[in-house]
Amino acid sequence: MTEELSRLSVRKAVGLLGSRQISAVELTTAALERLHQADSLLHAMVTVTADDALAQASEADRAIGSGRTSALTGIPVVIKDNMCTRGVRTTCSSRMLENFVPPFDATVVARLKGAGAVILGKANMDEFAMGSSTEHSAFFPTHNPWDLSRVPGGSSGGSAVAVAADECLFSLGSDTGGSIRQPAGFCSIVGLKPTYGRVSRYGLVAFASSLDQIGPLTKDVGDCALVMNVIAGHDPCDSTSVADSVPDYTRSLERDIRGLRLGVPREYFVAGMQAGVEAAMRAAVARLEELGAIIDWDVSLPHTRYALAAYYIIAPSEASANLARYDGVKYGYCHMDAGSVWQAMERTRQFGFGPEVKRRIMLGTYALSAGYYEAYYLKAQKVRTLIRREFDAAFQKYDALVTPTSPTVPFRIGERLDDPVQMYLADVCTLPINIAGVPAISVPAGFAGGLPVGMQLIGKPFGEEVLLRIAHSYEQATSWHNMKAPAPGSLDHAG
Ligand code: GLN
C-alpha cells in the first residue's frame, strides 16, 4: 500500500495530506522506497538526499498539524541536476561539476521549498543539457521505463523518468530546444516549456541564455498548472524574467475548448516521421475536433525548415561563451598535474568536458569567430526573427498550434550516439518554439508499437492558460495519462 502512495497526483496527495489521511513522512517514505527499488534499473537519479527529505517531510507534517500549509506542503519532488541546490551537489551530469556544491538555491528551488515541497534529490541529464537521450551524461545513461533498452529522451531524461516511474510526484526540468517536452513525450507524461521570461532562471546553470527556460514535468495537466502557480513570476535576480502578474493557472482547467481555433502546421509532419506517430497525431487532432475545437489542417510555417540549422548556430555560440567560465579556477574540477597555469586550464577542459560538450564549444567558437560571425551567427539571428514573425502571424489566426512532440517514438540506447545529426533531429519539432520564445506543452497522446507518443500544443507568448485548457480537455477525454509504465523488474520487462 505505501508504495502506491507515490503514484498519486500532486492534487490528490495535497487533498489526502490536508485531511490527514496520510502523512508527509509516509508519502516521502513511499517515494523513497519506490525510488530505491526502481532506480537500480532506471538510473534516473544522480544524487538522492533521503535524510534531508525525511527531515523536510517531518517539518511538513508539523506545518500541516498547525494549519500552516502552502500549495505543495509535503509533496516529494525531484530537481534536474542543473539547478543549484544549497549544500547539495549540482553536477550538470558533468565531471567538471561532479563535486560542485552551490552555496545558494536557484530561485525555483527556493520557491518550491517556500511552498513546502520535499526535495528527494537531483536527476540525471545530458551533460550541461546538451542532448536528446540522457546518454551524454558523464555518469550513466537513464533508461526508459516503457522499454529499458530505449532512451527516455533528454536532456531532462532523469526528471521525466522519475515522474513516469513514480519515484516522485513531480519534477523540474529545463528546456533549451526541447529538453522538457521531448522526454515528457517519450515517457508519456506532461511537460511544459513556459514562455521565455515566465520563470526565473537564477541558479540554473546556463546553456544557451536566450533559449533556456525551466518548467514542470508532471503526471497530469492539473498538476502542471499547480506547479506553474508556484514557480512562475518575476525575480529581481533574473533580469529576463518579466514583471507581469501570474494568473492562477488552475483556473484554466475549468473551461472547455469549444470554438477555439487550432492550426496544424504541415511542416511539422516531417520526412522521416514514423507512421505510428502520424496516426496517433491524426487521431489526437480528431479528438480535439470532437471536443469542439475548430481545426485548420492547411497551415504552413515555411521557415520551420531553417530552425534546426539556426538553433545549432545560436545554441552552441551561446554555450561556448557560457562554458568559458569552467577554467579550473572559479568552479568545479581543476587538473592539478600541469606544468603551467595555461596547461592546467587546457587539461581541466580536456578531462572535465565530455565529447558532446566539446563539439558544441567548437561549433560555437567557430560560428562566432572573426570572419565567420556574419555568415553564421548574424544570419542565424536573422532567421530567428523570421521564425518569430511567422509564429506571430499564425497566432493572429489561431489560438494554438498542434504538432507531434517528436517525429519518432523513443529510440534504442546507442542507436544515435555515433551520428550527432540524427540525435539533433530528435528535437526538430520542439526547437523552433525556443527560437520564437513562445510556450509549448507536451501531453500523452497514445502509443505506437507499445511506445509513447506525445502531442505538442504551441501557444502565444504568455498564453500558457490556453495551452493548459486545451491539454486538460484532451486529457479528460482520453486515458493515456492513466497508463503506467510496467514496474521495472516485473515480468513485463522479462527478456
Ligand atoms: N537536444 C537539444 C540540444 O542538445 C536541446 C537540449 C535542451 O533543450 N537542453 O541542444
Side-chain angles (χ1 to χ4, degrees):
M1 158 63 192
T2 54
E3 204 186 287
E4 296 280 292
L5 289 181
S6 68
R7 295 180 71 140
L8 292 170
S9 69
V10 175
R11 283 158 7 275
K12 284 218 181 87
V14 165
L16 292 173
L17 286 164
S19 59
R20 318 270 175 98
Q21 283 166 277
I22 60 171
S23 74
V25 168
E26 274 167 2
L27 182 58
T28 295
T29 305
L32 287 169
E33 268 172 24
R34 172 75 188 145
L35 193 158
H36 285 131
Q37 171 212 29
D39 217 53
S40 56
L41 288 159
L42 297 171
H43 304 294
M45 302 297 293
V46 172
T47 304
V48 180
T49 50
D51 293 343
D52 285 357
L54 287 166
Q56 288 168 19
S58 302
E59 178 58 34
D61 280 330
R62 277 194 292 280
I64 294 166
S66 59
R68 290 178 289 114
T69 56
S70 299
L72 297 171
T73 301
I75 301 299
V77 59
V78 157
I79 312 279
K80 186 176 182 179
D81 209 14
N82 59 352
M83 296 173 216
C84 286
T85 38
R86 191 158 77 110
V88 176
R89 71 184 183 133
T90 296
T91 69
C92 288
S93 291
S94 177
R95 295 281 169 223
M96 191 62 91
L97 293 176
E98 193 168 1
N99 299 307
F100 171 62
V101 178
F104 70 106
D105 278 329
T107 296
V108 285
V109 171
R111 285 189 183 223
L112 290 183
K113 286 183 179 171
V118 171
I119 298 177
L120 300 181
K122 308 295 293 287
N124 198 24
M125 54 186 278
D126 286 295
E127 184 175 2
F128 283 102
M130 297 170 187
S132 311
S133 68
T134 317
E135 292 167 288
H136 292 313
S137 165
F139 307 138
F140 39 76
T142 299
H143 295 252
N144 191 312
W146 292 93
D147 177 343
L148 296 178
S149 71
R150 291 178 189 265
V151 304
S155 63
S156 313
S159 296
V161 169
V163 173
D166 298 319
E167 296 181 7
C168 60
L169 272 67
F170 77 98
S171 67
L172 292 186
S174 68
D175 190 313
T176 306
S179 281
I180 291 173
R181 291 158 286 155
Q182 187 254 15
F186 274 16
C187 293
S188 202
I189 60 169
V190 174
L192 172 70
K193 184 204 86 75
T195 310
Y196 187 79
R198 184 74 290 190
V199 176
S200 166
R201 289 108 36 92
Y202 179 68
L204 170 71
V205 178
F207 164 9
S209 308
S210 77
L211 302 161
D212 300 337
Q213 261 295 292
I214 292 172
L217 291 128
T218 56
K219 297 181 194 192
D220 63 26
V221 178
D223 283 3
C224 182
L226 188 65
V227 176
M228 277 300 286
N229 280 356
V230 174
I231 64 171
H234 181 244
D235 174 13
C237 296
D238 176 359
S239 59
T240 65
S241 72
V242 300
D244 303 6
S245 63
V246 178
D248 176 356
Y249 289 107
T250 61
R251 298 291 303 274
S252 29
L253 312 177
E254 291 162 13
R255 298 176 59 195
D256 66 28
I257 60 168
R258 230 168 284 275
L260 285 186
R261 297 153 308 162
L262 306 184
V264 188
R266 72 173 77 97
E267 287 79 6
Y268 284 76
F269 288 77
V270 291
M273 182 170 187
Q274 289 172 346
V277 173
E278 178 160 356
M281 277 310 300
R282 290 192 184 278
V285 175
R287 183 52 67 93
L288 291 169
E289 191 162 28
E290 282 161 29
L291 292 168
I294 302 158
I295 309 290
D296 186 350
W297 284 93
D298 192 24
V299 181
S300 176
L301 301 174
H303 290 102
T304 303
R305 56 194 286 238
Y306 304 112
L308 189 86
Y311 176 89
Y312 277 99
I313 298 289
I314 296 168
S317 295
E318 295 182 12
S320 70
N322 276 325
L323 270 57
R325 73 190 68 179
Y326 303 103
D327 55 9
V329 179
K330 296 195 249 346
Y331 310 88
Y333 177 70
C334 175
H335 192 89
M336 301 299 272
D337 181 21
S340 70
V341 70
W342 294 112
Q343 201 181 43
M345 203 179 285
E346 259 173 45
R347 297 225 168 128
T348 294
R349 291 170 73 83
Q350 181 185 348
F351 296 115
F353 289 138
E356 183 60 26
V357 174
K358 287 180 186 158
R359 182 178 294 126
R360 304 292 177 106
I361 293 174
M362 285 191 286
L363 280 171
T365 309
Y366 184 79
L368 291 176
S369 57
Y372 294 104
Y373 178 88
E374 283 78 11
Y376 294 113
Y377 189 73
L378 195 66
K379 200 160 175 190
Q381 291 292 17
K382 289 180 179 167
V383 172
R384 183 172 197 173
T385 303
L386 293 174
I387 291 172
R388 193 181 295 139
R389 285 194 192 141
E390 202 165 77
F391 274 110
D392 284 349
F395 289 126
Q396 302 283 325
K397 282 174 76 182
Y398 306 106
D399 294 295
L401 301 170
V402 189
T403 77
T405 304
S406 318
T408 71
V409 294
F411 43 91
R412 288 192 186 283
I413 291 178
E415 193 179 299
R416 298 196 184 188
L417 262 185
D418 298 331
D419 189 345
V421 174
Q422 278 306 310
M423 191 68 93
Y424 298 170
L425 281 167
D427 291 312
V428 68
C429 300
T430 48
L431 51 83
I433 286 74
N434 301 67
I435 289 182
V438 296
I441 192 169
S442 178
V443 286
F447 293 82
L451 294 165
V453 175
M455 168 168 67
Q456 174 173 248
L457 300 162
I458 309 166
K460 299 177 192 177
F462 302 98
E464 283 84 356
E465 289 168 283
V466 174
L467 297 185
L468 291 164
R469 180 174 154 198
I470 302 166
H472 185 250
S473 290
Y474 177 76
E475 187 181 80
Q476 295 297 102
T478 54
S479 57
W480 310 123
H481 65 291
N482 291 324
M483 298 178 67
K484 283 283 168 191
S490 77
L491 286 179
D492 299 340
H493 271 130

